[in-house]
Amino acid sequence: MTQDYDGSTALDATLDAVSSEAKRRPAIDGLDSFSVMAIGLTKIFQRGERDEGLVAVQDVSFACSKGEVFGLLGPNGAGKTTTLRMLSTVLRPTIGTARVAGSDVRRAPQHVRASIGFLSGNTRLYPRLSVRETLEFFGRLHGFDGSELEGRVQHVIQALDMHDYADRRLEKLSTGMAQKANIGRTLLHDPPVLILDEPTSGLDVLGAAAMIDFVAEMRERGKTVIFSTHILSEAERLCDRIGILNNGRLHAVGSLDELRHRTGEDYLDQIFMSLVREAQG
Amino acid sequence: MGFFTRLRVLVVKELRDLARDRKVFYAAILLPALIFPMLLALTGRLTPTELDSNLVLRIGVIGHGPAIDEIVLEAPWANWAAGGDEERIRSGELDAAILADYSGKRLTNLRVIYDKSSPTSALAAERLGVVIERVRDRARRRALDASLVDAAALPPREVVYHDLAAWVRGDAPKSPQFLPSMIMLMMLAAAAFAAIDLFPGERERGTLETLLVQPIRAEEALLGKYVAVFLIGYVAVLANIAGIALASTFEASPIEIPLTLPCILGAAVITLPASALVAAILVRVVARAKSVREAQHYLLPLTLFNMIPALLAAAPELRFDAFTACLPMAGPALALRELALAKADLLSLLMMGVTTFLYCALVLQGALKYLANEESLLGEDSGEGKSARVLGVALFAILATYVCGPFLQDAPLPLKVLVPLGLFTCLPALWLGKSIGLGLDLRMFGRRTRARSWIVALSTGIGLALLVSGVAALQRRVIAPPAAFDEASLALLTSLPSLPLALLILAVAPAIAEELLYRRFVLHGLRSDFDRTRAIVFSAALFAMHHLSVFRLLPSFLAGVVLGRLVLRTHRFWLAPVAHATSNATMILLAHPDSPLAGGLIARAFGADELALGRMLLGAAILVVTPWIFERRPLWTPGRVASQLD
């Protein structure tokens, strides 16, 4: 496990506490068979040199295999977004690391970014560009050019049924249309891993339903999908396995049946509350 | 895909995105291109002949002969007077003058003296030009028709126009003085719009993170944005130069630069490193802002910091040489001025280019280092921009006070002191207080007021007076101020008729106004971004600058430190104006002619140079010991304890 970190001496006490706990965690065998592996991910935010730091995520480890939909479930502020931001290399873990599609988030962040499609409330599109210009721009950043780029852009526009507004500026589109364009952006380079942070947040009923269908379709196409949500019904319907995150810690990981068995509860909301109480008590 | 290909993709996207923002179009193209023609139109310089056509102009004449008589007859609009020295034209007594040089009977040349900076004088010269040409034509025809060689009737061989306007008299014309700062301002405004849109604008719109999850390095994303900001600033410069070239073609334009193609190309080359540096500074500063609003707060201090060196080009005394070429922002501005005067030497130009690019690289490296931190890049560690607002308001107050000085030179003393204090100290202070969310409520009086707080305030004032007078006297041994400085200080003190009035205007009013700005709002605003020591030092430095004299810098700085420390240590703002007023009052009481203490033993000890060190030490001792006795807290508290008290 990677134990290096970028911090100053003021962080030492916090880091010592976090690291000693991480050392007690048993090793995970057979890591290479997984598409995504988080290994002791910890993120400490520090404001200024004298700040001892805020532990946003602590020692989060899980693994997802190819074609699996993994849900990170937790209330607001649980650390879901920070975990996904570390997996997508937007944030660098303070301790721990993750492997995504065979590349380490610390050592080869560019390779990781080339292999993922990341969608969150903070990844919006340029309002003054049209859908087509946006897709072409991101396609070029992924190294496509000429007829290949044109073909991919056209394919995404067709697949998501965006013909009617492909040449309109995004600022003139509805939220649902813009979200479709954003999904198109994540799919353009056909990534093996999709990381979706509360993808239905801010969407109306129809938009949210379309997003759920999209995740289901991605699973059928063999893609690994990690998505976070605080809406239990979404997780119940889509996820092969669920991780329960609260106060920056991953309290349980397993399929819905495994979690039912462990807690003795039938419904996900009851399971969730039971696991949170167990962790607190 | 290589680095440059990715960079090109990023820059093209940023430029396409920016080009569709109307604000950037207005700031980068429309305003820079049209500002000079618009200014000329507004000031009426395009149409000087549109002055009242019935206006009677006063023309002086020196020399007499048939040609002059003819000119006089041809100009019924003129009121003629004998004589026409330059001083009468400058003073406005005459609008223009004609000087006729005769060689025997022959009128050899005619000089028209006028002042182009005066619209009526410019009109007089123009009308005289028309009349003289008419008379010359007629004389030529007469000479040809009659084959008559009457020397007295021949037209003048040469007509010379002599403009007395200030900008063409010296070797530093007016236009080159103000043009560099105007070009810099246009560059800054356009680049600022772009930088704000590409950093905090993207953060607000949520598009920055989208870029960061693409397979590019964060440095590449930053460089792409930097290049776009630089290009937008440079486009504004080119549009501005085009606007100047256009305006210079107008008749009666005040732009006295020969705008040849090499001159225009030279200006385009000189502004290249300047645009690169401005873009780097903007990226470094604006990247801190989490929101567009916060970034806008950074613009005032940023503009002032950039414009002050650029304005140096307006000082004709400052030469462009290998040393001044290396001054950040001032070097390119001076180079532009010298280019306009066709005096720039190649070595200085090279020095300017190399050093400006070097500064640019250093600033850019700082920006890259800052943004390498993910929290900085995502804007999660930024403050609220209070320090920037504080800095902007304080610099504005200082500059406004400085600019206001000459206008009030002949005003009565109370006005001379109270107007700047009211307009440029109290008003900015109240605006700043509102802006950073600090009010003038009862909390400014701190906790329970006790008699010993008064003792601390009064003793701090006396200690401060001793310390400042000692330091000022010691400083005189190193840098002696000119006699005029001492005379002005004495005149300020003695010109007020009575002691109470002197105390009110010179001790109490400045204490309240300056403490309100620097201790109540600037210090507390800076505390949001800096620790106690830095906040005190920065606020004291601004306070020292407000005193507008190099000889007052050190004493004022020390006073700022002591008063800042007093406020932060006691949490009672009101102690600062009391201490400040006490310090001022002590000095007035010892020096004012009406004071019973003037000329006494204490006053003599206070003014004695040989006791300077003693006064300084005594003052320092009072400042340390009194708070320790009365507040049970030393003035200088070790850091850890101090942070608990804060």
Side-chain angles (χ1 to χ4, degrees):
Chain A
M1 191 183 84
T2 312
Q3 284 286 331
D4 55 321
Y5 61 88
D6 321 309
S8 61
T9 49
L11 273 176
D12 284 350
T14 314
L15 285 167
D16 285 347
V18 169
S19 320
S20 60
E21 196 163 321
K23 281 173 194 159
R24 290 198 294 272
R25 179 175 34 75
I28 302 170
D29 296 325
L31 290 178
D32 289 343
S33 61
F34 294 111
S35 180
V36 176
M37 291 166 288
I39 310 157
L41 280 180
T42 299
K43 184 68 190 176
I44 303 171
F45 290 109
Q46 192 192 14
R47 280 176 175 268
E49 286 174 11
R50 292 183 185 178
D51 186 10
E52 60 186 22
L54 170 77
V55 183
V57 170
Q58 187 174 341
D59 196 24
V60 167
S61 301
F62 62 87
C64 317
S65 48
K66 198 178 169 191
E68 184 181 6
V69 176
F70 183 85
L72 269 179
L73 200 63
N76 291 334
K80 305 187 294 289
T81 298
T82 306
T83 305
L84 297 189
R85 275 176 151 185
M86 284 192 279
L87 289 178
S88 59
T89 75
V90 175
L91 292 178
R92 192 177 159 85
T94 314
I95 303 177
T97 190
R99 285 179 73 79
V100 178
S103 302
D104 191 291
V105 292
R106 280 174 171 275
R107 293 188 192 130
Q110 269 179 274
H111 287 140
V112 171
R113 291 199 282 266
S115 314
I116 61 166
F118 181 55
L119 186 69
S120 82
N122 294 320
T123 53
R124 302 214 181 101
L125 300 180
Y126 304 104
R128 294 191 288 261
L129 298 189
S130 70
V131 174
R132 191 184 300 278
E133 286 167 342
T134 303
L135 294 176
E136 282 173 356
F137 167 63
F138 287 109
R140 284 199 178 92
L141 289 183
H142 279 279
F144 305 120
D145 210 348
S147 57
E148 190 187 7
L149 175 68
E150 204 177 309
R152 278 179 180 263
V153 169
Q154 203 52 41
H155 173 74
V156 167
I157 288 172
Q158 274 178 357
L160 294 169
D161 197 19
M162 297 191 289
H163 307 277
D164 294 343
Y165 52 87
D167 292 308
R168 272 160 66 186
R169 288 193 200 177
L170 279 147
E171 63 194 352
K172 291 177 181 164
L173 302 183
S174 68
T175 315
M177 288 170 170
Q179 183 74 334
K180 260 192 185 183
N182 215 344
I183 292 169
R185 189 263 305 167
T186 60
L187 294 179
L188 191 74
H189 54 296
D190 196 20
V193 177
L194 286 172
I195 299 173
L196 311 174
D197 182 17
E198 303 204 1
T200 56
S201 170
L203 294 181
D204 60 13
V205 180
L206 290 176
M211 181 55 78
I212 303 272
D213 291 343
F214 164 72
V215 174
E217 191 191 328
M218 288 301 109
R219 176 170 51 190
E220 281 167 24
R221 284 167 58 178
K223 298 203 182 290
T224 304
V225 181
I226 300 179
F227 88 98
S228 70
T229 184
H230 60 271
I231 302 168
L232 303 176
S233 60
E234 281 179 9
E236 206 161 0
R237 182 178 159 192
L238 286 171
C239 298
D240 298 313
R241 287 191 309 136
I242 291 168
I244 305 287
L245 202 61
N246 194 33
N247 288 330
R249 288 163 181 269
L250 194 61
H251 293 302
V253 179
S255 67
L256 199 54
D257 284 340
E258 285 168 349
L259 295 177
R260 276 188 187 123
H261 182 71
R262 176 174 162 180
T263 57
E265 302 285 355
D266 285 336
Y267 300 102
L268 190 54
D269 52 349
Q270 291 168 330
I271 293 169
F272 178 77
M273 292 309 296
S274 168
L275 286 167
V276 168
R277 273 197 298 271
E278 183 187 311
Q280 285 169 348
Chain B
M1 190 165 57
F3 167 79
F4 288 106
T5 313
R6 282 196 294 269
L7 191 63
R8 183 178 57 79
V9 169
L10 287 163
V11 172
V12 168
K13 177 254 142 192
E14 302 297 7
L15 287 175
R16 179 181 282 171
D17 196 12
L18 286 170
R20 289 177 182 171
D21 185 355
R22 279 185 197 164
K23 290 195 293 292
V24 174
F25 171 71
Y26 293 143
I29 295 172
L30 211 58
L31 183 69
L34 296 183
I35 189 155
F36 278 105
M38 279 190 315
L39 280 176
L40 286 178
L42 283 173
T43 53
R45 299 307 298 259
L46 287 177
T47 52
T49 49
E50 283 179 9
L51 286 170
D52 185 0
S53 57
N54 297 322
L55 191 68
V56 175
L57 300 163
R58 291 147 303 171
I59 312 290
V61 62
I62 297 174
H64 184 258
I68 295 291
D69 291 344
E70 218 174 326
I71 289 170
V72 171
L73 285 173
E74 280 285 327
W77 43 266
N79 195 355
W80 295 90
D85 58 277
E86 293 182 0
E87 212 41 59
R88 290 174 71 187
I89 297 169
R90 284 204 193 96
S91 67
E93 189 186 328
L94 291 175
D95 292 311
I98 297 178
L99 270 75
D101 288 345
Y102 281 91
S103 169
K105 278 187 170 182
R106 171 84 167 97
L107 176 61
T108 50
N109 66 54
L110 205 57
R111 290 211 312 151
V112 177
I113 304 172
Y114 69 110
D115 182 350
K116 199 175 176 180
S117 62
S118 152
T120 53
S121 185
L123 176 61
E126 193 183 317
R127 285 183 182 178
L128 279 173
V130 172
V131 168
I132 289 167
E133 282 312 305
R134 205 180 299 153
V135 169
R136 284 179 88 183
D137 279 353
R138 208 178 298 146
R140 274 192 214 104
R141 272 204 301 276
R142 270 201 310 265
L144 286 171
D145 288 349
S147 299
L148 179 70
V149 191
D150 178 1
L154 282 173
R157 282 198 199 109
E158 193 183 7
V159 180
V160 178
Y161 289 85
H162 180 55
D163 187 356
L164 298 177
W167 65 74
V168 292
R169 265 189 286 117
D171 59 357
K174 189 178 178 182
S175 328
Q177 286 173 13
F178 73 85
L179 286 182
S181 48
M182 188 58 93
I183 290 174
M184 298 289 179
L185 186 65
M186 291 296 116
M187 176 204 295
L188 193 69
F193 269 110
I196 289 177
D197 189 81
L198 293 186
F199 285 94
E202 287 218 11
R203 278 188 189 126
E204 275 190 356
R205 293 194 292 271
T207 51
L208 195 61
E209 199 164 321
T210 316
L211 191 61
L212 297 176
V213 289
Q214 303 310 312
I216 54 167
R217 291 202 297 269
E219 295 87 350
E220 291 167 342
L222 173 74
L223 275 179
K225 290 180 186 303
Y226 164 73
V227 173
V229 172
F230 156 67
L231 288 175
I232 293 290
Y234 194 56
V235 164
V237 169
L238 297 182
N240 200 220
I241 292 173
I244 292 168
L246 179 70
S248 70
T249 61
F250 293 145
E251 196 184 343
S253 163
I255 296 168
E256 299 287 325
I257 304 170
L259 277 170
T260 56
L261 189 63
C263 183
I264 292 173
L265 288 177
V269 172
I270 286 173
T271 46
L272 199 69
S275 302
L277 178 57
V278 164
I281 294 171
L282 276 165
V283 165
R284 176 65 186 89
V285 174
V286 168
R288 273 187 68 86
K290 196 175 181 178
S291 65
V292 170
R293 189 177 158 76
E294 188 189 334
Q296 284 165 347
H297 292 314
Y298 295 152
L299 283 186
L300 179 61
L302 200 63
T303 308
L304 289 172
F305 271 125
N306 279 289
M307 289 309 295
I308 290 168
L311 285 169
L312 286 176
E317 301 81 23
L318 199 66
R319 298 281 158 207
F320 180 61
D321 53 31
F323 172 70
T324 53
C326 300
L327 297 174
M329 296 309 295
L334 285 169
L336 273 179
R337 187 190 78 182
E338 298 298 289
L339 179 82
L341 297 169
K343 284 160 68 180
D345 67 292
L346 195 62
L347 176 70
S348 303
L349 283 175
L350 274 174
M351 288 291 284
M352 183 278 296
V354 169
T355 50
T356 307
F357 275 124
L358 187 71
Y359 297 138
C360 170
L362 287 172
V363 175
L364 207 55
Q365 195 198 14
L368 282 169
K369 198 176 165 191
Y370 173 73
L371 291 173
N373 181 330
E374 65 218 356
E375 282 89 356
S376 311
L377 189 60
L378 296 172
E380 290 175 0
D381 74 335
S382 93
E384 295 165 22
K386 279 186 185 175
S387 297
R389 269 172 277 177
V390 162
L391 208 55
V393 170
L395 284 173
F396 167 78
I398 293 163
L399 279 179
T401 310
Y402 178 74
V403 171
C404 170
F407 293 101
L408 293 168
Q409 208 160 18
D410 299 324
L413 184 67
L415 278 184
K416 210 191 280 190
V417 176
L418 296 178
V419 168
L421 281 180
L423 283 180
F424 306 125
T425 310
C426 282
L427 284 184
L430 295 175
W431 181 85
L432 180 63
K434 196 177 169 198
S435 163
I436 61 174
L438 277 175
L440 270 178
D441 52 28
L442 287 174
R443 276 177 293 173
M444 68 191 272
F445 293 100
R447 296 180 297 234
R448 204 156 41 89
T449 305
R450 292 166 297 190
R452 53 186 171 189
S453 298
W454 280 97
I455 297 171
V456 169
L458 295 172
S459 63
T460 302
I462 292 166
L464 198 56
L466 283 162
L467 179 78
V468 163
S469 103
V471 168
L474 288 175
Q475 185 185 260
R476 293 173 84 93
R477 295 181 191 172
V478 185
I479 330 167
F485 176 79
D486 291 335
E487 284 164 16
S489 305
L490 192 66
L492 189 73
L493 193 65
T494 54
S495 58
L496 284 167
S498 70
L499 183 61
L501 198 61
L503 287 172
L504 184 69
I505 289 174
L506 298 177
V508 179
I512 294 173
E514 289 171 6
E515 293 311 309
L516 197 62
L517 179 58
Y518 289 101
R519 248 59 67 184
R520 174 62 184 155
F521 297 124
V522 168
L523 183 62
H524 282 95
L526 291 173
R527 274 296 280 132
S528 66
D529 287 328
F530 298 104
D531 59 25
R532 289 159 56 97
T533 309
R534 284 184 197 173
I536 289 173
V537 168
F538 290 159
S539 68
L542 289 167
F543 175 65
M545 282 165 69
H546 200 131
H547 286 77
L548 308 178
S549 163
V550 69
F551 305 106
R552 291 199 180 111
L553 266 180
L554 184 61
S556 316
F557 175 76
L558 287 175
V561 170
V562 169
L563 292 166
R565 187 75 186 172
L566 180 73
V567 169
L568 286 191
R569 187 176 53 80
T570 59
H571 295 269
R572 293 184 184 88
F573 159 72
W574 67 270
L575 293 183
V578 170
H580 190 155
T582 307
S583 171
N584 289 353
T586 307
M587 296 196 203
I588 292 168
L589 282 170
L590 292 173
H592 196 277
D594 292 355
S595 166
L597 297 174
L601 184 66
I602 301 174
R604 285 204 300 278
F606 225 85
D609 276 352
E610 57 274 23
L611 294 177
L613 187 63
R615 286 202 300 276
M616 192 183 82
L617 293 175
L618 180 63
I622 291 174
L623 290 174
V624 173
V625 171
T626 320
W628 183 72
I629 294 172
F630 291 97
E631 291 268 319
R632 298 284 180 234
R633 276 184 209 146
L635 185 71
W636 304 105
T637 321
R640 185 169 290 275
V641 182
S643 66
Q644 289 165 3
L645 296 173
D646 190 9

